[in-house]
Amino acid sequence: DDRARRRRDDEDIWRPVRERLDARGVSVPFEEKTFAGELDAITFRHAWKNGQWHAYEGVSLDLASQDSIMEKARRWVGHLTTVRDGLAEPLKLHLIIGAPQEQGLGEAYRKALAMMRKAPLRPEVVEEHAIDDLVSRIEDEVRAHVQDQGSPAARGG
């Protein structure tokens, strides 16, 4: 079969998280948030604050070769390295990782996951098969946040 398989992009990896949150009726106040270091800045498209910033990014490693998988992981590690010195607020980063569909790229995928787990800021690396668990945790955090906002202490009472 010579037809090229459609590769999933970062938005394709994020979409199931958003869809599951919507299906559960969980309204997360996501916004774009930029964190800047001395030399670079990175913008997360899905961030919200609950005592600390939580940022969620889909990262597709559904790429054509081992080299491209490793290069994307290195790029993420580099971004996180260049912004960590400028974080003025705590950040909990969650990277939702999409695996390659191509047979034979498992070793590069595992290495990329290990690199990203050891990256500065120690992101939580969530593989696609664990999206439901992540969504459940987000739901719990949002509901607790909403409840805290409604408590007399949160209203100043």
Side-chain angles (χ1 to χ4, degrees):
D1 189 17
D2 291 333
R3 289 178 292 146
R5 175 181 284 168
R6 182 189 173 281
R7 308 247 179 246
R8 297 171 301 150
D9 64 17
D10 294 345
E11 183 57 31
D12 291 328
I13 305 306
W14 167 252
R15 188 174 300 110
V17 176
R18 186 187 68 235
E19 289 171 350
R20 285 176 173 100
L21 288 168
D22 289 346
R24 293 181 185 198
V26 179
S27 177
V28 184
F30 287 125
E31 61 184 88
E32 279 194 359
K33 175 67 176 165
T34 299
F35 292 91
E38 183 180 330
L39 301 173
D40 198 7
I42 188 168
T43 299
F44 298 108
R45 294 175 297 155
H46 315 287
W48 73 291
K49 194 167 185 179
N50 176 21
Q52 69 176 344
W53 281 101
H54 295 264
Y56 304 86
E57 286 297 319
V59 178
S60 177
L61 295 180
D62 185 14
L63 303 170
S65 70
Q66 291 184 22
D67 288 343
S68 57
I69 290 170
M70 296 304 293
E71 184 57 35
K72 188 161 186 180
R74 289 181 191 114
R75 207 168 39 245
W76 267 99
V77 171
H79 280 310
L80 298 178
T81 299
T82 58
V83 300
R84 74 172 161 197
D85 65 353
L87 287 184
E89 302 176 82
L91 168 65
K92 178 60 183 160
L93 176 58
H94 310 265
L95 300 176
I96 301 107
I97 310 297
Q101 298 176 72
E102 196 80 26
Q103 294 287 335
L105 297 176
E107 182 180 348
Y109 175 69
R110 285 186 294 280
K111 285 181 181 178
L113 290 176
M115 285 174 61
M116 293 163 90
R117 284 186 176 110
K118 291 184 177 190
L121 309 181
R122 294 286 189 211
E124 176 187 7
V125 173
V126 179
E127 294 182 74
E128 290 172 288
H129 62 80
I131 285 176
D132 284 329
D133 292 337
L134 175 67
V135 168
S136 292
R137 286 188 285 133
I138 295 170
E139 179 179 16
D140 291 346
E141 290 168 358
V142 169
R143 294 197 193 286
H145 179 71
V146 168
Q147 188 174 26
D148 289 348
Q149 295 301 308
S151 72
R155 292 191 310 262

